[in-house]
């Protein structure tokens, strides 16, 4: 089959890790007789530098006309300490989410046996942890009304949710739980926030339609604690935009494998697949960044957007093999380490 893939490499290590994912996809294409047509476009700081817009219209059009988007990373230190910057790379990401209607961010949290000793938690706590964080991505405080008083001494951000927004993301949570261990944890702050109460009320109304799923409700502060204390208790967690931003970062590091975890953002239009780590500017251009999260994001793309299950498994198997064989980058190497490009070559050859 033939597929059109939009490639948004972005900033920092984005281009070099994306290059490895493309290599691996080419290998999959050869083995299974598919043709992937890759077309690149600008996003993030490099797009600001080139055309003054972190998510240019041409990039949006390309995404809309593709079967899937493979995304690297965005962000540049020159913006991080400048709260006055008029345009920021992150605005490109938010614009992309909104315009593509990517209302759900899916982050599987899995452990890799060979990396458990890298976890900040005791090995017995994390060994076998396996859950999915589903974060609402186009609503809440990120997109609500915001502003500053005329004298600049006051600012506000509004958190808004509609019932329909809660229903569509929770539906996805129930569907994931049905395919997994049939447990759904709804994370909110219903003891304080009106949006959370709407959220909880809505999910309670939905519960009877999913009789085989066990639902529990947890306040976000408690959830932050329980992820650390007892990560193995979770199966599928669904939550609003900002809680999900924070909890998904927390969840991603407990496995010790930050550089290995992929994510998918799905919704109304084309889905986007990206590693959960950032643009790691200190490593840019050095051929040392770990490409595995991006390669596994390509596997998620095959699975969720292109329905190529066997091909997705081939990527996961080859990646597992590289970890077991110690063909890994310096961040996780015990002895000898390999370059970004060498890991990409090795995994491609083993497809
Ligand atoms: C993420 C990031 C973004 C977010 C930033 C870069 C705007 O932290 O994808 O989790 O807050 O959503
Ligand atoms: Mg985040």
């Amino acid at each position: 089959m033939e597929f059109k893939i939009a490639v948004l490499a972005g900033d920092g290590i984005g281009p070099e890790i994306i290059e490895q994912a493309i290599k691996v996809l080419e290998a999959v294409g050869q083995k299974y007789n598919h043709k992937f047509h890759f077309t690149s476009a600008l996003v993030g700081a490099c797009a600001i530098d080139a055309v003054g817009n972190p998510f240019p219209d041409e990039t949006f059009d390309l995404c809309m006309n593709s079967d899937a988007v493979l995304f690297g990373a965005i962000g540049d230190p020159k913006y991080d300490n400048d709260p006055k910057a008029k345009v920021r790379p992150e605005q490109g990401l938010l614009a992309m989410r909104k315009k593509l209607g990517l209302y759900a961010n899916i982050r599987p949290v899995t452990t890799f046996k060979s990396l458990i000793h890298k976890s900040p938690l005791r090995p017995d706590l994390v060994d076998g942890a396996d859950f999915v964080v589903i974060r609402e991505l186009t609503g809440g405080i990120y997109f609500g009304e915001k502003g500053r008083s005329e004298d600049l001494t006051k600012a506000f951000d509004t958190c808004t949710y509609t019932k329909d927004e809660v229903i569509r993301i929770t539906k996805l949570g129930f569907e994931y739980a049905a395919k997994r261990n049939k447990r759904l944890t709804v994370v909110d702050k219903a003891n304080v926030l009106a949006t959370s109460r709407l959220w909880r009320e809505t999910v309670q109304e939905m519960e009877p339609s999913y009789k085989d799923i066990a639902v529990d409700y947890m306040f976000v502060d408690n959830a932050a604690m329980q992820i650390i204390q007892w990560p193995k208790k979770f199966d599928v967690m669904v939550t609003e935009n900002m809680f999900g931003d924070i909890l998904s970062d927390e969840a991603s590091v407990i496995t010790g494998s930050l550089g290995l975890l992929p994510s998918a953002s799905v919704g109304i239009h084309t889905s986007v697949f990206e590693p959960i780590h950032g643009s790691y500017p200190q490593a840019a251009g050095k051929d040392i960044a770990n490409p595995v999260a991006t390669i596994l994001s390509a596997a998620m793309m095959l699975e969720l957007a292109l329905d190529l299950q066997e091909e997705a498994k081939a990527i996961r198997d080859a990646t597992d093999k590289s970890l077991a064989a110690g063909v890994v980058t310096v961040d996780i190497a015990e002895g000898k380490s390999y370059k970004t490009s060498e890991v990409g070559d090795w995994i491609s050859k083993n497809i």
Side-chain angles (χ1 to χ4, degrees):
M1 290 171 76
E2 301 208 10
F3 301 98
K4 288 190 273 186
I5 311 296
V7 178
L8 276 48
D11 307 317
I13 56 169
E16 54 208 280
I17 51 176
I18 284 285
E19 200 184 312
Q20 311 316 314
I22 289 179
K23 264 185 209 167
V24 171
L25 286 168
E26 301 274 21
V28 167
Q30 261 191 6
K31 174 154 179 198
Y32 294 91
N33 207 13
H34 300 302
K35 181 82 195 122
F36 298 105
H37 300 280
F38 297 104
T39 311
S40 299
L42 294 170
V43 71
C46 62
I48 300 178
D49 292 344
V51 297
N53 178 351
F55 188 59
D57 290 343
E58 304 81 76
T59 304
F60 173 58
D61 293 340
L62 174 70
C63 294
M64 290 297 282
N65 292 315
S66 301
D67 297 304
V69 179
L70 194 56
F71 192 96
I74 58 154
D76 189 294
K78 74 181 172 207
Y79 296 97
D80 291 345
N81 295 319
D82 179 11
K84 292 207 166 113
K86 287 228 159 52
V87 242
R88 318 181 61 82
E90 290 78 8
Q91 287 164 346
L93 194 59
L94 299 182
M96 180 178 78
R97 289 172 182 169
K98 202 64 177 176
K99 290 175 93 170
L100 292 178
L102 302 171
Y103 61 80
N105 180 237
I106 302 164
R107 286 185 173 196
V109 179
T110 35
T111 48
F112 294 83
K113 284 254 181 261
S114 57
L115 292 178
I116 282 182
H117 65 284
K118 299 257 180 198
S119 170
L121 299 186
R122 267 194 350 251
D124 61 298
L125 287 177
V126 270
D127 191 6
D130 180 359
F131 61 100
V132 181
V133 180
I134 299 183
R135 164 188 177 193
E136 201 291 328
L137 204 58
T138 51
I141 202 164
Y142 273 62
F143 293 96
E145 203 191 321
K146 52 187 81 219
R148 195 86 177 247
S149 66
E150 231 163 78
D151 69 359
L152 303 180
T153 59
K154 193 167 118 190
F156 64 94
D157 298 277
T158 322
C159 183
T160 312
Y161 269 108
T162 65
K163 196 159 178 154
D164 286 345
E165 286 174 320
V166 178
I167 291 174
R168 69 179 178 185
I169 187 81
T170 307
K171 202 164 163 280
L172 197 73
F174 274 117
E175 285 163 10
Y176 260 80
K179 283 187 279 178
R180 294 174 45 97
N181 296 319
K182 311 216 165 5
R183 282 181 292 119
L184 181 68
T185 304
V186 180
V187 175
D188 63 25
K189 189 76 187 172
N191 49 348
V192 178
L193 302 176
T195 41
S196 285
R197 285 194 281 271
L198 171 74
W199 197 285
R200 210 175 258 225
E201 190 184 294
T202 305
V203 182
Q204 278 167 352
E205 285 167 17
M206 294 171 78
E207 272 192 59
S209 311
Y210 300 91
K211 288 213 159 50
D212 56 337
I213 310 291
V215 181
D216 68 323
Y217 298 85
M218 205 179 270
F219 296 141
V220 61
D221 45 353
N222 185 21
M225 203 167 72
Q226 297 219 28
I227 286 174
I228 299 292
Q229 275 188 319
W230 196 10
K232 282 190 261 193
K233 79 178 276 176
F234 295 104
D235 181 22
V236 178
M237 184 186 283
V238 67
T239 190
E240 66 91 55
N241 203 344
M242 186 143 92
F243 296 161
D245 176 46
I246 298 165
L247 293 182
S248 59
D249 266 25
E250 183 191 4
S252 67
V253 293
I254 60 171
T255 66
S257 337
L258 182 62
L260 268 58
L261 300 180
S263 80
S265 297
V266 305
I268 298 166
H269 303 294
T270 321
S271 301
V272 175
F273 300 85
E274 59 176 308
I276 62 158
H277 59 69
S279 59
Y280 193 15
Q282 305 84 334
K286 294 189 181 151
D287 204 17
I288 56 168
N290 193 336
V292 168
T294 315
I295 291 170
L296 291 176
S297 299
M300 258 185 123
M301 176 179 93
L302 299 187
E303 184 192 344
L304 297 179
L306 311 183
D307 197 20
L308 301 176
Q309 309 304 330
E310 193 186 331
E311 291 83 341
K313 184 168 183 308
I315 295 185
R316 292 202 186 99
D317 289 348
T319 307
D320 283 346
K321 216 168 138 185
S322 75
L323 294 171
V327 182
V328 295
T329 42
V330 64
D331 53 315
I332 54 174
E334 292 299 330
K336 174 175 164 51
S337 66
Y338 291 76
K339 298 278 181 199
T340 309
S341 53
E342 290 172 329
V343 174
D345 290 341
W346 198 95
I347 294 176
S348 317
K349 282 204 195 86
N350 279 274
I351 291 289

